[in-house]
Amino acid sequence: MKRVALWAGLITILALPAFAGSFPSQVSWDGRAIDANGQPLNGRFDMTFGYFTPGGEKLLAETQSGVAVDDGDFHVELGSGRLVPGETFDSLSAAFAKNPEVRVEVTVGDTTYAPRVGLLPAGHSLKSRLIAAGLRKDNDGQEHWGRYEAASNTTAVQAVILAPLGSKRSETAAPIETGVSRTNPYLVEMVGPSLSQPLRDMPTIAMPAPESVEVQQEEEEINALRHESLYDENGNLFGTTEPKIQDALAPLSEIPLGGPPPLSQEFEGLGNISGFYPPDTEEAVGPNHIVQVVNVSFAIFNKTGTMVAGPFLTNTLWAGFGGPCQTNNSGDAIFVYDQIADRYLLSQFAVQSTNTVCFAVSQTNDPTGSYFRYSVTTPRFPDYFKLGMWPAANHNAYFMGTNSGFQGQYDVFALDRENMLLGNVARPMQVFQNNPNLVMPADVDGQTIPTANQPGLLYSFRAGGESYFGNPPNDSIDIYEFNVNWTTPASSTFTRVQEITPAQGLADFNWTVCGFFVSNCIPQPTTAVGLDSASWWPMQRLVYRRFGDHETLLGAWTVDVNPGSPNRAAPRWFELRRPLSLGSWSIFQQGTQSPDGIHRWMPSIAMDAAGNIGIGYSRGDGSNFASIYYTVHETTDPLGTLQTEALLEAGTGAQTGSANRWGDYASMDIDPVDDCTFWFTTEYLQTTGGAPWHTRIASFAIPSCGGTIFTDGFEAGNTSAWDQTAN
């Protein structure tokens, strides 16, 4: 995550000189249009562009003759056409001055296309945006804009695929309703495959102490905040206006229980060797190795903590592949061990020049060997992308969820797992757009997999009464199904199949701790600089497990415990169950980990083969440096409870960098050898400084699971499940 970045994949963003009172007279737009059957338009067409307020009031219109459309793609200079008389404004710049958010409706010939395209014109600061709306002050008489005085110098254009209004394809772009299936996804060709040289033979990088690294503010260098689009139509910060409640589940975490098992292993992971923050700490745990990535670099460890390969710059893996995957090293990496295939999936995005996500699948179960490499250009900016492995025979995919940077424009993707594992040409990626929040795909743990016809599962949440989500009536956990059809992609569907609300047993929650994208939130000792809570999106992973009589989905994110001041961050976690008859999902248990007044955030959660739960997180406040803690829930514990937390690694310094970024994510994973041992990695600091972060990698196992880790990495007498040629 690199803050909210407002740009697009198929859309050109025009950067214009801007200052208070200066607004663009023309905007460059690269659009894409298809017909009612999903086929790209070709030829020359007369187009009319109507400009509207978000509420639907028409501002002006223009016509452009003979616009060339080549395989669906067209380029126009909005504002350069012949104005249609009789509207409110006579130029784009005049309309932009009064309307800092505009919607463009395109008519091709006599056919109106949907959806309307969002424009955020350069020249507006938050101050001018609110003055234009007549919203100078909030309910307390204070000016809304605070320090946000600078006008943006960039016009942002929403990335969408235009289709005739009322066609199936245009319905795909509309906000999704529960029980209504979107169909006919947008298809994107994947580049590849290309086989890499063995990773063990690739050049490594030096590993200086984090304290000696000069910190770079990655979110400013790579993906700067383009607009102050963090406020609702009344000038209120998203995440601060919903009715707040006292978290009803927090008292469960105060029940005194025994503590979690001691650590089996603990060793130092990678530190800030490249000068970026946050670390985006992630791991993939295989039979013999742990592959850990921190932002733009990664390394491979054995399970006793010896680094056996690396560290590498992440884009080194795409050396010789060409394009942005080779030349860009943008971070936001997600690494997955595919237990069913016994392979590693490594990925990061490459966004300095294009909206590209890069994928590499290990050729064998040896992560130091060669990889099949792929890339894809996403329709919109693929911020904070998350992956899940779904091995159902007829819906076989790696699913991905992303944040585009626009409100209500979170996208989901299906990638061709079958062919990527074989190193074959992958079928086009399938994309559904415009979800209200980040959608986290399920990731299968254990050897018992979904049935052949079971669609991919994903989840998100919405806060009732929150304008960011369109003011839904209730808090909800939302369950989605991606029914991917690789043979006939137009028949693929994406459906929000269920909303689990308080009427279905969900405990209400407070969305965001300090407000949407407010980073100076969690206090630290010895400094006025706070830390980012990342309390707006689901945290990875969404764990899927299949047991003898039911399926389980397990997830966590960060909520605010208190209805007023002071705020208190805490992990909210849940276990959903569904009988194998594939009925409805229901809440089996839920909890909020907040046994005292100290902040806890950045959780990651997993479940072992016996149904026990492990969760790790950061813990700290103005008196306690941010440290790493973990705890467990055993199947014999009362529902919704966690045992008394244990310290994994103490932080002894404060982060003073101006961007306040912390973690972005952590990673709790299950060892595939015994299906019982939990491995956790996240960040901490040893000394105070800009961002001299370190990471720890640690493991523990709950005795009731009955697993044993052997030093050779295999279960006794059960080596046939793995390729023993692995190093």
Side-chain angles (χ1 to χ4, degrees):
M1 178 183 63
K2 306 298 180 283
R3 296 187 183 264
V4 173
L6 300 181
W7 64 75
L10 294 174
I11 305 301
T12 296
I13 295 173
L14 179 65
L16 296 170
F19 50 88
S22 175
F23 304 96
S25 60
Q26 294 185 15
V27 174
S28 187
W29 178 30
D30 291 321
R32 181 170 178 82
I34 59 178
D35 63 22
N37 296 316
Q39 299 302 308
L41 296 184
N42 280 284
R44 289 187 172 273
F45 300 88
D46 292 340
M47 294 188 180
T48 299
F49 300 92
Y51 301 87
F52 298 81
T53 67
E57 177 187 354
K58 194 170 186 180
L59 303 172
L60 75 159
E62 62 170 305
T63 59
Q64 297 195 26
S65 302
V67 176
V69 184
D70 182 12
D71 197 30
D73 297 327
F74 62 89
H75 174 85
V76 291
E77 295 292 329
L78 298 176
S80 66
R82 185 176 69 257
L83 289 177
V84 176
E87 308 298 349
T88 305
F89 295 96
D90 59 3
S91 70
L92 274 189
S93 57
F96 286 162
K98 297 292 185 181
N99 295 278
E101 296 187 34
V102 174
R103 302 290 183 266
V104 182
E105 183 177 82
V106 181
T107 301
V108 180
D110 296 326
T111 303
T112 299
Y113 275 62
R116 290 181 177 175
V117 178
L119 274 175
L120 295 175
H124 283 285
S125 64
L126 178 62
K127 181 175 181 177
S128 71
R129 186 172 97 96
L130 294 171
I131 288 176
L135 302 167
R136 288 178 173 271
K137 296 185 178 182
D138 61 22
N139 292 336
D140 296 324
Q142 302 298 312
E143 293 181 341
H144 287 288
W145 41 83
R147 61 186 176 88
Y148 296 99
E149 294 284 352
S152 171
N153 64 355
T154 305
T155 292
V157 189
Q158 178 189 1
V160 295
I161 318 316
L162 296 171
L165 184 64
S167 67
K168 287 291 185 182
R169 188 57 188 81
S170 69
E171 293 172 3
T172 299
I176 189 169
E177 298 179 11
T178 300
V180 177
S181 294
R182 296 178 182 173
T183 190
N184 197 10
Y186 176 55
L187 304 180
V188 183
E189 297 293 330
M190 294 193 70
V191 177
S194 169
L195 185 64
S196 76
Q197 64 175 304
L199 185 60
R200 69 181 77 91
D201 297 334
M202 294 185 180
T204 60
I205 56 176
M207 193 169 169
E211 289 78 5
S212 67
V213 176
E214 180 180 353
V215 172
Q216 305 172 58
Q217 293 186 17
E218 181 180 327
E219 78 285 1
E220 292 184 7
E221 294 194 350
I222 295 179
N223 304 310
L225 182 64
R226 298 284 177 157
H227 285 269
E228 298 88 35
S229 60
L230 309 179
Y231 295 79
D232 66 17
E233 64 277 8
N234 296 315
N236 297 308
L237 181 67
F238 289 131
T240 62
T241 59
E242 61 161 328
K244 299 287 186 178
I245 50 93
Q246 188 71 38
D247 193 292
L249 299 178
L252 290 174
S253 63
E254 300 172 9
I255 298 174
L257 296 171
L263 298 176
S264 308
Q265 294 285 345
E266 183 187 8
F267 50 87
E268 192 75 354
L270 291 174
N272 193 355
I273 58 179
S274 298
F276 292 117
Y277 72 123
D280 298 346
T281 314
E282 170 75 315
E283 67 185 359
V285 179
N288 299 296
H289 301 93
I290 296 172
V291 188
Q292 187 202 38
V293 60
V294 289
N295 211 307
V296 297
S297 55
F298 73 102
I300 301 173
F301 299 86
N302 66 23
K303 289 182 178 176
T304 59
T306 300
M307 188 183 298
V308 297
F312 309 97
L313 292 175
T314 310
N315 66 325
T316 301
L317 189 54
W318 286 271
F321 184 74
C325 290
Q326 177 176 333
T327 59
N328 292 188
N329 200 33
S330 302
D332 263 32
I334 292 293
F335 286 10
V336 173
Y337 173 67
D338 185 333
Q339 182 177 353
I340 304 305
D342 191 18
R343 296 292 183 267
Y344 294 84
L345 171 65
L346 312 186
S347 66
Q348 76 160 357
F349 65 11
V351 294
Q352 277 95 328
S353 53
T354 62
N355 296 333
T356 300
V357 185
C358 315
F359 302 94
V361 180
S362 63
Q363 188 179 29
T364 70
N365 66 356
D366 177 8
T368 74
S370 297
Y371 286 75
F372 301 121
R373 301 173 299 183
Y374 300 84
S375 71
V376 65
T377 299
T378 57
R380 306 200 268 226
F381 180 60
D383 187 34
Y384 205 70
F385 74 92
K386 295 293 175 284
L387 295 172
M389 182 272 293
W390 193 257
N394 296 331
H395 301 283
N396 191 359
Y398 294 121
F399 290 109
M400 180 170 72
T402 65
N403 159 51
S404 74
F406 281 89
Q407 180 186 359
Q409 294 175 32
Y410 295 88
D411 298 341
V412 292
F413 305 78
L415 296 97
D416 184 3
R417 175 177 177 267
E418 177 182 355
N419 283 302
M420 292 171 70
L421 286 168
L422 296 172
N424 295 335
V425 173
R427 289 166 288 200
M429 180 178 68
Q430 300 184 17
V431 187
F432 286 102
Q433 296 189 313
N434 297 351
N435 299 290
N437 199 5
L438 183 75
V439 182
M440 182 70 66
D443 191 39
V444 174
D445 279 351
Q447 287 291 326
T448 306
I449 66 174
T451 60
N453 292 319
Q454 191 165 341
L457 294 170
L458 309 93
Y459 104 99
S460 192
F461 55 77
R462 290 172 294 155
E466 170 55 53
S467 59
Y468 185 77
F469 303 116
N471 298 299
N474 302 294
D475 290 351
S476 65
I477 289 177
D478 299 332
I479 307 300
Y480 296 85
E481 289 184 353
F482 199 137
N483 188 325
V484 59
N485 187 324
W486 291 114
T487 303
T488 310
S491 297
S492 293
T493 62
F494 184 70
T495 310
R496 187 164 68 210
V497 294
Q498 192 173 348
E499 297 176 38
I500 301 175
T501 69
Q504 287 80 48
L506 174 68
D508 281 315
F509 58 86
N510 297 323
W511 181 62
T512 80
V513 179
C514 299
F516 186 56
F517 271 92
V518 174
S519 58
N520 190 25
C521 183
I522 310 292
Q524 303 180 91
T526 73
T527 179
V529 176
L531 297 176
D532 185 359
S533 72
S535 56
W536 28 89
W537 294 330
M539 294 284 103
Q540 65 163 12
R541 295 178 296 136
L542 175 64
V543 175
Y544 172 89
R545 274 194 179 271
R546 189 176 179 89
F547 293 95
D549 62 352
H550 70 275
E551 301 169 287
T552 284
L553 288 173
L554 183 74
W557 77 97
T558 300
V559 299
D560 187 6
V561 172
N562 293 329
S565 180
N567 297 315
R568 192 200 313 168
R572 166 67 70 93
W573 60 278
F574 63 86
E575 179 185 352
L576 307 182
R577 288 190 178 185
R578 180 170 69 172
L580 295 186
S581 59
L582 301 182
S584 296
W585 291 95
S586 61
I587 292 178
F588 176 71
Q589 60 177 326
Q590 56 188 323
T592 299
Q593 174 65 351
S594 187
D596 53 38
I598 301 175
H599 293 278
R600 292 164 177 83
W601 76 107
M602 203 57 60
S604 186
I605 195 167
M607 175 178 283
D608 67 20
N612 302 308
I613 294 168
I615 183 170
Y617 45 82
S618 296
R619 172 187 182 271
D621 61 11
S623 301
N624 301 274
F625 291 113
S627 300
I628 307 173
Y629 279 76
Y630 72 105
T631 185
V632 301
H633 170 88
E634 296 194 58
T635 56
T636 54
D637 293 335
L639 294 178
T641 63
L642 296 171
Q643 297 183 11
T644 302
E645 66 190 4
L647 176 67
L648 192 155
E649 188 69 28
T652 51
Q655 179 175 286
T656 57
S658 62
N660 312 104
R661 304 295 295 284
W662 185 265
D664 259 16
Y665 36 95
S667 188
M668 181 72 81
D669 299 88
I670 289 290
D671 197 305
V673 173
D674 64 356
D675 210 14
C676 288
T677 298
F678 296 87
W679 288 91
F680 184 59
T681 185
T682 194
E683 74 164 299
Y684 74 105
L685 269 70
Q686 295 179 353
T687 60
T688 294
W693 48 261
H694 293 249
T695 66
R696 295 296 282 181
I697 301 173
S699 68
F700 58 91
I702 298 172
S704 62
C705 187
T708 302
I709 288 288
F710 290 83
T711 56
D712 64 359
F714 295 90
E715 291 184 282
N718 188 29
T719 59
S720 61
W722 308 109
D723 179 357
Q724 296 187 55
T725 63
N727 292 334

